[in-house]
Amino acid sequence: AQSVTQLDSQVPVFEEAPVELRCNYSSSVSVYLFWYVQYPNQGLQLLLKYLSGSTLVKGINGFEAEFNKSQTSFHLRKPSVHISDTAEYFCAVSVNTNAGKSTFGDGTTLTVKP
Amino acid sequence: DARVTQTPRHKVTEMGQEVTMRCQPILGHNTVFWYRQTMMQGLELLAYFRNRAPLDDSGMPKDRFSAEMPDATLATLKIQPSEPRDSAVYFCASGLEQGSPLHFGNGTRLTVT
């Protein structure tokens, strides 16, 4: 079975500052990794995904994440945040033997302050 | 831009009533998932289907919840009878297998009084 741990439940940051949202996973087989964002009263939307290849993946809205197999991590970063990035962020893991089922972390609430 | 459509967006009902939530997955997607989101429990997987066949519904309270896919364009989640503890946002998501990301609907916010 797979599991995901998002290490911070809340991250407050000032506008234009850099941010890192941390995610660690556990799996005995190769994984696919995802970050999703959820704005109020909406469903989750895909930010970026790692399937294979380059360990640095770029997503929408200026976000990027780095897959680190030795540390079983997939941290999300943005060099300069905007007020509009305030949302909840979910890390998720999937494996190729479970019909696309994803296991989600508990979420990190990013609050960007002016 | 293809989207997962969920109806209704909001539902308020009294305890004991039947609730039916509907989901139209993205055309061509062969997996459908039902999640429940609450402040206390976060995102919980209730059930999921592949090619309309149920694969796992172990996350659902069996005595009151049921999930079906009568055809490839419709998934339903029913609660009978509903209870106040069922109050939550219920999300449907669809995708393809093998590393495909999930596409979520905007959810059904259920309030059971």
Side-chain angles (χ1 to χ4, degrees), chain A residues 32 34 36 38 41-46 49 51 88 90 94-96 98-106, chain B residues 9 31 33 35 37 41-43 45 48 50 55-56 91 96-107 109:
Chain A
Y32 307 117
F34 308 88
Y36 293 84
Q38 185 180 28
N41 300 315
Q42 294 185 25
L44 281 68
Q45 304 171 36
L46 181 69
K49 61 185 177 184
L51 303 182
E88 190 157 19
F90 292 90
S94 174
V95 299
N96 66 2
N98 62 0
K101 184 180 81 168
S102 286
T103 300
F104 286 85
D106 288 336
Chain B
R9 286 297 313 274
T31 59
F33 300 80
Y35 286 90
Q37 187 178 39
Q41 301 295 329
L43 268 173
L45 178 64
Y48 68 105
R50 180 176 60 193
L55 286 191
D56 186 357
F91 288 103
L96 300 165
E97 301 177 63
Q98 305 285 339
S100 165
L102 296 181
H103 297 254
F104 282 79
N106 281 328
R109 182 176 295 276

Side-chain angles (χ1 to χ4, degrees), chain A residues 22-108:
Chain A
R22 297 180 294 167
C23 172
N24 285 100
Y25 69 92
S26 172
S27 176
S28 58
V29 297
S30 296
V31 296
Y32 307 117
L33 294 159
F34 308 88
W35 275 100
Y36 293 84
V37 60
Q38 185 180 28
Y39 300 105
N41 300 315
Q42 294 185 25
L44 281 68
Q45 304 171 36
L46 181 69
L47 266 182
L48 49 79
K49 61 185 177 184
Y50 171 79
L51 303 182
S52 64
S54 173
T55 58
L56 182 64
V57 292
K58 295 186 183 299
I60 63 171
N61 301 340
F63 284 93
E64 63 181 32
E66 186 157 18
F67 170 57
N68 187 318
K69 188 174 182 180
S70 63
Q71 297 187 8
T72 61
S73 68
F74 191 55
H75 301 333
L76 180 71
R77 302 185 183 100
K78 185 170 182 178
S80 175
V81 294
H82 303 290
I83 297 287
S84 59
D85 292 323
T86 295
E88 190 157 19
Y89 292 79
F90 292 90
C91 181
V93 62
S94 174
V95 299
N96 66 2
T97 57
N98 62 0
K101 184 180 81 168
S102 286
T103 300
F104 286 85
D106 288 336
T108 297

